């Protein structure tokens, strides 16, 4: 597992293999929906196949979309979105609020009681099949396991999945989001905590493509306490996200408007 005291520059390693691409244009979003279709519809069978080979839903119109591109091939190989509160109808439930309507523990966290314009849900995380071929990963869109970091003799680092989560926090900072929710496999929530992506369970598990638990992450708390290896990746991802927004002339409302001081 990651050693928080280790200072290996994983940011350079990430940049060697991957690039974060916020899906800001129609062309990029179509690529994102196509990647989702290949993973969620074709590989996993979690959604019905579509004639246009694009997996979309009603939340996409008020979501932030992000892709990961392979440096070597130029192909998009990963995706994640942040579902925002519905404009003009902020109390409309996020996806996890509907799935976990009966299992949320509102004494721990009541999503309806926090500033809704500052929340989002991490959703539709997807990694293409060739990057999740290790045992136990074939039937999931993207996860961590004890084997994700290899062995002392053959170490590895899950750059793609970690990069997607760093993109989540960079996007959240760009857009002034404070609180992120996720509906996640219990083992992934546990492994995220182990690698330093702090999250708290806020209710009992619910059935959604297997057992999933609702959890919450505080953006500032996570970013402020990233260990050196994750911070190295976050710094690069944050600049890529900010640069993409600047190139499109999109004003940034959060910390990344001036890129967080190191």
């Amino acid at each position: 597992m990651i050693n928080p005291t280790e200072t290996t520059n994983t940011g350079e390693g990430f940049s060697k293999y991957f690039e974060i691409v916020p899906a800001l244009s129609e062309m990029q979003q179509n690529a994102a929906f196509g990647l989702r279709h290949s993973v969620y519809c074709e590989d996993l069978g979690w959604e019905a196949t579509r004639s246009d080979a694009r997996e979309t839903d009603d939340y996409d119109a008020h979501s932030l979309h992000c892709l990961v591109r392979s440096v070597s091939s130029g192909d998009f190989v990963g995706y994640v979105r942040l579902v925002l509160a519905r404009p003009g109808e902020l109390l409309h439930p996020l996806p996890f609020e509907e799935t976990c309507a009966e299992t949320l523990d509102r004494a721990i966290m009541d999503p309806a009681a926090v500033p809704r314009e500052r929340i989002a849900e991490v959703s539709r995380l997807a990694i293409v099949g060739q990057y999740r071929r290790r045992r136990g990963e074939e039937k999931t869109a993207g996860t961590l396991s004890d084997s994700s970091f290899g062995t002392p003799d053959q170490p590895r680092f899950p750059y793609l999945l970690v990069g997607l989560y760093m993109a989540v926090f960079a996007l959240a900072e760009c857009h002034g989001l404070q609180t992120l929710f996720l509906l996640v496999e219990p083992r992934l929530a546990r492994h995220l905590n182990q690698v330093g992506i702090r999250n708290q369970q806020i209710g009992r598990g619910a059935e959604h493509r297997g057992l999933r638990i609702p959890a919450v992450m505080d953006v500032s708390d996570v970013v402020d306490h990233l260990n050196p290896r994750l911070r190295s990746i976050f710094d690069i991802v944050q600049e890529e996200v900010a640069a993409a927004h600047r190139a499109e002339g999109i004003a940034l409302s959060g910390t990344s408007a001036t890129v967080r001081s190191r």
Side-chain angles (χ1 to χ4, degrees):
M1 204 52 71
I2 290 177
N3 179 354
T5 64
E6 193 169 330
T7 58
T8 300
N9 193 335
T10 48
E12 291 182 0
F14 177 81
S15 293
K16 179 179 178 180
Y17 298 109
F18 301 111
E19 175 191 8
I20 296 295
V21 182
L24 303 175
S25 70
E26 183 178 358
M27 181 179 297
Q28 290 167 335
Q29 290 182 14
N30 279 328
F33 301 147
L35 189 152
R36 276 167 43 178
H37 190 275
S38 71
V39 175
Y40 277 76
C41 304
E42 298 170 20
D43 289 356
L44 302 177
W46 287 349
E47 299 287 343
T49 57
R50 318 287 174 86
S51 59
D52 62 357
R54 296 165 70 253
E55 195 276 308
T56 61
D57 61 26
D58 292 340
Y59 296 104
D60 287 318
H62 52 95
S63 293
L64 305 174
H65 306 274
C66 193
L67 290 155
V68 179
R69 181 159 47 209
S70 164
V71 170
S72 61
S73 70
D75 296 332
F76 292 121
V77 296
Y79 167 85
V80 70
R81 74 177 175 182
L82 288 178
V83 179
L84 308 176
R86 181 177 291 184
E89 198 178 352
L90 294 180
L91 289 178
H92 188 276
L94 295 173
F96 89 98
E97 292 179 277
E98 297 190 287
T99 302
C100 298
E102 304 301 321
T103 65
L104 283 174
D105 186 342
R106 298 181 189 276
I108 301 174
M109 164 67 77
D110 184 356
V114 297
R116 299 286 290 188
E117 69 279 4
R118 296 296 185 91
I119 71 171
E121 179 178 347
V122 181
S123 171
R124 283 296 197 269
L125 187 147
I127 292 173
V128 298
Q130 71 190 82
Y131 285 87
R132 46 182 176 81
R133 294 302 189 201
R134 290 193 293 272
R135 180 176 297 179
E137 297 179 355
E138 303 92 338
K139 296 301 181 181
T140 182
T143 191
L144 288 173
S145 65
D146 289 332
S147 66
S148 296
F149 298 91
T151 66
D153 293 332
Q154 292 182 305
R156 66 168 70 98
F157 190 85
Y159 285 115
L160 183 48
L161 186 64
V162 169
L164 281 166
Y165 272 95
M166 295 302 98
V168 160
F169 296 113
L171 279 171
E173 286 204 331
C174 274
H175 292 271
L177 302 171
Q178 297 175 334
T179 304
L180 301 180
F181 298 95
L182 63 162
L183 189 61
V184 63
E185 294 175 84
R187 69 168 179 167
L188 178 54
R190 184 170 60 253
H191 280 105
L192 290 175
N193 273 318
Q194 289 173 346
V195 302
I197 301 174
R198 293 150 65 129
N199 66 92
Q200 179 184 12
Q201 184 173 343
I202 57 171
R204 302 190 315 277
E207 178 62 31
H208 180 69
R209 303 169 182 147
L211 182 67
R212 301 290 188 269
I213 60 170
V216 66
M217 301 182 292
D218 180 279
V219 174
S220 294
D221 178 66
V222 171
V223 173
D224 287 345
H225 293 92
L226 288 174
N227 66 58
R229 295 183 75 183
L230 268 63
R231 182 75 206 200
S232 179
I233 297 175
F234 176 80
D235 288 343
I236 288 172
V237 168
Q238 183 189 48
E239 178 52 39
E240 290 178 336
V241 168
H245 284 74
R246 290 194 297 266
E248 293 292 326
I250 299 173
L252 305 179
S253 59
T255 306
S256 287
T258 55
V259 182
R260 182 186 270 266
S261 60
R262 307 295 188 245

